[in-house]
Every structure is written in structure tokens, then in C-alpha cells.
Amino acid sequence: MALLDLAMQGFAIFGFVLFVVLWLMHFMSIVYVRLHLNKKTTDKQPYSKLAGVSLLKPLKGVDPNLINNLETFFELDYPKYEILLCVQDHDDPAIDVCKKLLGKYPNVDARLFIGGKKVGINPKINNLMPGYEGAKYDLVWICDSGIRVRSDTLTDMANQMTEKVGLVHGLPYVADRQGFAATLEQVYFGTSHPRSYISANVTGIKCVTGMSCLMRKDILDQAGGLIAFAQYIAEDYFMAKAIADRGWRFSMATQVALQNSGSYSIAQFQSRMIRWAKLRINMLPATVIEPISECFVASLIIGWAAHYVFRWDIMVFFMCHCLAWFISDYIQLRGVQVLFSPSFHHLHWGSMESMTIQIFLSALWDPTISWRTGRYRLRCGGTAEEILDV
């Protein structure tokens, strides 16, 4: 009995520590969003003196929003940049979209690279290699095909690239689109994801997604160039790690990395979340405890601790804690996107939180992932091998 009492006391202490940590994360994220995001920054260097940028754009396939997303990059207000459009397959319909934009904007410095270069198992790196090797500027901006930008997005990112900064990244978010799945993604990228993403970066943990990253090319070259990261599926994590290991700082843009894919569904959202969870577990095994940071599981643990110490009713505490979490997420979401209609927020929020355990268990069940047109078996440490059909 003494051992059981000791274990229960320890678990109660753990519950209270979890409460403090999670609400500190909420607080840091909300404050950062309110103070930093969507703010007009003062130019840190004259417009004409901004460094040249080589934009690397990996493309595969066409969705209804692709041409509109790509066109926003041709309309950037920036003094010196080039667009390097990279397409792997010669029969990819994205080639026609690229040629149409190249013809429409003849005065924009843009080139199309077709065929890629096989240097490893990562299809994105293979696709980008010819563009990377042909890049002529000191800064490279790797930006996914589903991202759309404002005319001043690159200026904002370049202004964050100060003397000691080696990488500038954008907080992932989602553009307004129609349907339940679209709003579900918007709620996730406006609540759960930035809470972890921002609090990690504020506390010095290098947390970066590769949707939109501006990097110093010479640092990547010191690490071996893009080819050095071709053995990993999560190339963005290891590129960021290589830059941090060389003593460079990171900075977050004031504008979000706005995802605007024209193809989306609940199944696609779950598949992406499962793939990301698998990658995190294989790169950082400690992330197996990740579910305790989610609302429903955390509320149960903290509620039990409150019941054990204060004899409070578990279910009453659970409901109150979930309500407080919901309000906190709503405040944060309004900070990420100022113009947001909250009419369906509670339904989507509840659906998102309910999916977390299923997503995590699915990630543990199968160590293989499907990405683009390939299947890969993950190894501990982040490397992977392609599964070839015999």
C-alpha cells in the first residue's frame, strides 16, 4: 500500500507539473502571436540593398489552386530574385502550368527544370537538385507548391535575415476555403500546431517546417548541399539542425506560410498528421508521450491529480479545463488570423481534439509512410529506405 500511495502521489505531482507546462505553452503562444504575427515590420535594410533570393519551387501534379498560388510568386515586390520551377516527371501536367506563367511574365527571372536528379530517397530533394545547383543567389527560399504569398512576403522574410540569422521560416497556416475539412485544417494550424511550434521556438528549441524557409546557401553548402539531406524524409528538420549546429540563429517571419492547396479532405488531413507523427517518433522517440499534451488526455490527468489532492470532482474539473482550453485556443486562432468567422469553431475544434489519439495510435501501428508516389520504411534517427514493388 505504501508503494501504491507513493506512486499515486508521484502521478499527482506529474499532473500539476503538466498543468503548469501546458498553460505556459498556451500563454507563450498567445502572447507571441499577438505581438509578432501580422505586424508591419520596419525595414532593417534599404529595399534596394536586399539580398538576392533564389526561389526553389518543387512541383508535382496540378490541383485547382496551383496556377493562382504560383502566380503570386511572379507578382512579388522584391528587387532581385529568381524563380526556379522544378518538376520531376516529363509528363507532369504542372509543366504546362509553368510554361503558361513563364509566357505571361517574360520579365520575371524564372526557369523551368524538368527531370530532377536522383541523389537519395527523398523525392522532394531529388526534384529540387537541378534548381539548387543552378541557383545564382546567396539566399535560397524553398517553398512548397501549395503556398500562396502576398507581394511583400519575401521582403518580410529578407528583413528577418539579419547578420546572425541563418534561417527564416513562416508559421504554417491555412487560407480560407470551403467545407468541413478546410475549416478543420484551419483550426488545427491555428491552435494545436502553433502552440507547440511557437513555444518550442520561444524556448530555444529549433522547430521548423519546410513549407516556407529562407536559408543561407553557403551554410547548406558547408553541410554538403541538398544532397546531404536526401537520405531523410524529414529533410526540413535536418537542414534546420545543420544550420543550428553551426551556430546560426532562426527567425520567424511576421507573415504566416499560407497553405492554399486545392485538394483537401478529412482523409488527407489525417494521413498527413499520421505521417508527421511517424516522422517525429522516429527522429525523436521521446515524442511517444505527445498525447498527454492534447486537451482531452491532459484534462483527465490533471483532473485526477486535482481529485487526489483536493477531492475535486474529476468530471467537473475535466469539463471546466476543456472549456478553458477551448477559449484559449479561440483567442490564439483569432490572433493567427484576424478576420475569422467562429461560427463552426467548436464543432471543428472538438473533432480535431477527438482525432489525436487515433492519429497517434495509427502512427505507432505502421512504421511505413506513403509520400507523393513512393512508400518508405522509417528507421530510428530519421533515415528511411524506399519500399520497391517487386
Side-chain angles (χ1 to χ4, degrees):
M1 288 297 293
L3 273 177
L4 180 60
D5 287 341
L6 189 62
M8 293 176 71
Q9 290 172 14
F11 193 70
I13 292 171
F14 171 76
F16 289 121
V17 171
L18 181 65
F19 175 83
V20 172
V21 170
L22 292 179
W23 282 99
L24 277 175
M25 290 173 64
H26 275 287
F27 178 75
M28 284 188 291
S29 180
I30 289 171
V31 170
Y32 186 90
V33 162
R34 293 286 174 173
L35 295 180
H36 182 75
L37 280 191
N38 304 313
K39 304 296 182 185
K40 179 66 177 177
T41 56
T42 56
D43 293 339
K44 298 178 182 178
Q45 48 190 319
Y47 177 82
S48 60
K49 299 294 184 181
L50 289 169
V53 174
S54 295
L55 166 62
L56 292 170
K57 202 73 174 170
L59 302 171
K60 184 171 182 62
V62 173
D63 68 46
N65 292 344
L66 178 63
I67 190 166
N68 291 331
N69 291 337
L70 275 181
E71 191 165 13
T72 63
F73 291 87
F74 282 80
E75 296 175 342
L76 284 167
D77 181 13
Y78 194 80
K80 188 167 53 178
Y81 76 104
E82 62 175 346
I83 302 175
L84 308 175
L85 304 164
C86 302
V87 183
Q88 183 75 43
D89 301 319
H90 290 267
D91 59 351
D92 195 312
I95 293 174
D96 292 333
V97 173
C98 294
K99 289 180 177 179
K100 183 177 180 179
L101 290 172
L102 290 172
K104 185 177 179 180
Y105 295 91
N107 295 324
V108 174
D109 185 0
R111 288 177 282 165
L112 175 60
F113 296 84
I114 303 173
K117 182 178 180 181
K118 181 73 172 180
V119 294
I121 57 95
N122 187 304
K124 181 177 178 180
I125 295 292
N126 292 337
N127 190 7
L128 290 176
M129 279 303 299
Y132 182 82
E133 292 174 344
K136 62 185 179 184
Y137 292 123
D138 294 334
L139 298 180
V140 291
W141 181 19
I142 298 179
C143 192
D144 287 353
S145 61
I147 300 293
R148 61 178 293 181
V149 293
R150 296 183 349 199
S151 62
D152 61 343
T153 295
L154 183 51
T155 302
D156 171 52
M157 297 184 77
N159 272 315
Q160 306 298 325
M161 186 66 78
T162 52
E163 184 179 349
K164 296 182 179 180
V165 173
L167 182 151
V168 178
H169 55 114
L171 174 70
Y173 190 54
V174 185
D176 290 326
R177 298 169 299 176
Q178 297 297 315
F180 186 93
T183 309
L184 181 68
E185 282 194 346
Q186 202 167 49
V187 170
Y188 170 76
F189 282 103
T191 59
S192 178
H193 186 271
R195 182 170 57 252
S196 301
Y197 194 91
I198 291 173
S199 56
N201 280 284
V202 168
T203 55
I205 300 171
K206 307 303 183 186
C207 182
V208 172
T209 63
M211 295 180 195
S212 178
C213 285
L214 182 66
M215 295 168 281
R216 296 185 185 273
K217 190 172 185 290
D218 60 337
I219 306 175
L220 292 178
D221 289 338
Q222 290 170 22
L226 281 192
I227 192 173
F229 309 101
Q231 61 180 315
Y232 306 109
I233 295 297
E235 80 293 332
D236 48 1
Y237 170 82
F238 290 98
M239 290 166 72
K241 184 177 184 299
I243 293 171
D245 289 346
R246 285 163 175 76
W248 292 87
R249 298 177 183 172
F250 296 177
S251 182
M252 196 182 301
T254 65
Q255 296 182 24
V256 296
L258 195 63
Q259 304 167 79
N260 188 42
S261 173
S263 175
Y264 52 91
S265 66
I266 294 175
Q268 287 175 305
F269 171 74
Q270 289 181 316
S271 177
R272 180 158 64 148
M273 295 302 102
I274 291 170
R275 184 175 75 247
W276 286 4
K278 289 178 180 181
L279 289 170
R280 290 195 299 272
I281 291 168
N282 278 270
M283 293 186 300
L284 302 167
T287 55
V288 294
I289 65 171
E290 197 173 274
I292 67 173
S293 68
E294 302 297 340
C295 178
F296 294 156
V297 176
S299 296
L300 284 173
I301 294 173
I302 298 167
W304 181 90
H307 171 74
Y308 180 80
V309 175
F310 303 115
R311 293 293 180 260
W312 291 351
D313 185 279
I314 293 179
M315 290 312 299
V316 171
F317 184 93
F318 175 83
M319 296 299 292
C320 292
H321 192 261
C322 288
L323 177 61
W325 195 293
F326 169 82
I327 294 171
S328 174
D329 276 354
Y330 178 76
I331 293 170
Q332 180 175 283
L333 183 60
R334 291 302 299 264
V336 175
Q337 180 173 332
V338 179
L339 300 176
F340 180 77
S341 173
S343 54
F344 298 106
H345 178 242
H346 22 307
L347 176 60
H348 294 86
W349 181 87
S351 300
M352 178 198 70
E353 291 293 346
S354 299
M355 289 180 186
T356 54
I357 297 299
Q358 176 254 322
I359 287 171
F360 186 77
L361 292 177
S362 298
L364 288 175
W365 182 258
D366 182 8
T368 65
I369 66 169
S370 297
W371 186 38
R372 300 198 175 193
T373 57
R375 289 182 63 241
Y376 306 89
R377 182 175 292 107
L378 298 173
R379 301 192 186 113
C380 187
T383 59
E385 61 178 335
E386 188 171 6
I387 301 173
L388 302 174
D389 296 328
V390 180

